[in-house]
Amino acid sequence: MTADAATVRAAVDAAYRDEWGQVVAVLIGLTRDWDLAEDCAQEAFATALTAWRRDGVPDRPGAWLTTTARRRATDRLRRDAAGRAKLRQLAVLAREPDESAAEEIPDERLRLIFTCCHPALPFEARVALTLRTLAGLSTAEIARAFLTAETTMAQRIVRAKRKIADAGIPYRVPPAELLPERLASVLAVLYLIFNEGYGEHDASRALTAEAIHLARVLARLLPDEPEPRGLLALMLLHEARRATRVDDGVLVPLERQDRSRWDRALIDEGVAVLDDALALRRGGPYQVQAAIAACHATAPGPEGTDWPQIAALYAELARLAPSPVVELNRAVAVAMADGIPAGLALVDELTASGRLDGYHLLPATRADLLRRDGHTAEARAAYEEALRLAPSEPDRRYLTGRLNAL
Amino acid sequence: MKYVLLISDDETRSPSNEEMDADPVHQAWEADLKRRGAERLGVRLRPVASATTVRVRDGETLVSDGPFAETKDFVGGVVLIECADLDEAIAIAAGHSYARWGGVEIRPVWE
């Protein structure tokens, strides 16, 4: 039963996306050797290209790949004395895997993701390691995404793997008492990956797609935890609006985005996932942020938006995860719900506190509120200040447009 | 795995040995170590004012007063533990009374 090249290529690509992390996770579980696990996974996918053409695509590509990678690992370890000694310790690996057996390999990715995101690793290394070992991105791809030299990124990953081995970071899902703290680290890593992709103004969806994929896996593997679903919902609701965020290199604010171009299927899914999370009745910052995103995504337009609800949600978020940026967003919602003077008063408080000094969205927000309230001269000064602080070209183009329209 | 815990602080508090022994947090820590069977060696160091550092440069022995490096925190105790993994070492370190005002550095032993 042979298969044509295009079918096999597509099947291997799909398996790479869906199974890479699992194959690597199983191999690390068996050998505790991260490099060996990655090399053998790589070889298994390469072998699949020829084997699947000859024999057809297997019914369970993941099981085929895992078995093949496992055989590779055994072969490689047999080559030298140290490897043979290790094989004797790893009795489970030495046992010949039975392809035909219906034995389901449990999903090992949870152990892998918690290890990659261990707080004893530097945050940047957690992000890189997660993208490398779970999502299967190459070091070059990760380096490009984070505008880092490939050698720097490679070194970061090597050091992280070395620390896992040398410091004895356990390869496991943390016990219940550590889960909240450790899960927060995993969620922060996935959200950073998403935001890194979301900030891209070109058409590349790679990082947002990887983050959503990993969040789906996490949400499925931790069905009793509401926050992974909250994060997944938040990502889906943001992703739905992505195409309308920038127009011709100029940032488009929410109220001016073309809502007919928002992705309805993603919004519906995001809302459904959020409902599942909320049904668990344990709130958290990602669920609140997703609820805010859902208010925007399901509103018919800026006027039909439930601003009092959004203001209340920001107040809740400020309580769960206090930050001056959250306060700034709350000020905007309050301005929309209770009138511009109420919002401006909150912005002025923030300005006086100095906690957002140098952050361009502080004067930009103030400028927008002043403009709407008819204070043109003050608005102009605030836009000019924001323009001086704005970090990116789309931001500057947007602010220049506003300034010229005054 | 074997780890060395470097118990550090800036020495502003400097409780005496008797005060340490009377501290319920320290007692709980000692009991926890015993329960885990983790402690291989544990010593408390005298304050850094009594430290002497020796360097040999170009064959010449240089003796200086004070610690190896001038930092805010100084090592005030060394505990060698043996436990399952870094998570257990973190749990043990977090229970030490100095962790509340100083810090505990966990260093895996190079074997």
Side-chain angles (χ1 to χ4, degrees), chain B residues 7-85:
Chain B
I7 318 291
S8 316
D9 76 343
D10 62 7
E11 296 191 351
T12 48
R13 282 177 82 135
S14 213
S16 68
N17 284 340
E18 291 69 29
E19 283 166 339
M20 283 294 281
D21 289 342
D23 177 357
V25 175
H26 191 68
Q27 290 168 357
W29 188 72
E30 294 279 2
D32 181 53
L33 269 187
K34 198 164 188 178
R35 188 179 55 77
R36 294 176 192 266
E39 188 173 12
R40 296 289 169 272
L41 169 90
V43 288
R44 192 163 187 219
L45 307 181
R46 286 195 179 275
V48 76
S50 59
T52 306
T53 300
V54 179
R55 294 176 176 85
V56 177
R57 298 290 181 271
D58 298 326
E60 192 183 349
T61 301
L62 306 167
V63 177
S64 58
D65 171 46
F68 176 75
E70 287 292 344
T71 51
K72 191 175 77 56
D73 286 333
F74 306 105
V75 175
V78 175
V79 184
L80 173 64
I81 58 168
E82 187 163 6
C83 60
D85 52 39

Side-chain angles (χ1 to χ4, degrees), chain A residues 3-20 45 48-49 52-53 56-62 64-65:
Chain A
D4 69 89
T7 309
V8 167
R9 180 85 247 176
V12 172
D13 284 349
Y16 194 84
R17 197 178 56 240
D18 297 333
E19 308 286 355
W20 168 267
F45 278 91
L49 277 175
W52 294 3
R53 275 208 75 173
V57 176
D59 292 339
R60 294 188 303 150
W64 189 97
L65 289 160

Side-chain angles (χ1 to χ4, degrees), chain A residues 325-404:
Chain A
V325 174
V326 171
E327 292 295 341
L328 185 63
N329 285 315
R330 186 168 82 87
V332 174
V334 166
M336 298 302 285
D338 302 337
I340 288 172
L344 265 178
L346 291 174
V347 172
D348 289 342
E349 262 176 50
L350 264 173
T351 309
S353 77
R355 288 191 299 159
L356 282 178
D357 280 355
Y359 184 54
H360 74 288
L361 287 181
L362 180 66
T365 303
R366 196 160 164 270
D368 273 335
L369 295 180
L370 288 165
R371 172 181 57 80
R372 286 189 209 164
D373 219 22
H375 304 291
T376 311
E378 283 179 81
R380 179 179 304 279
Y383 276 128
E384 281 166 353
E385 189 193 345
L387 202 51
R388 278 195 301 277
L389 298 170
S392 82
E393 204 44 50
D395 286 305
R396 278 192 289 275
R397 289 201 197 105
Y398 164 73
L399 290 165
T400 308
R402 283 290 180 169
L403 202 51
N404 293 338

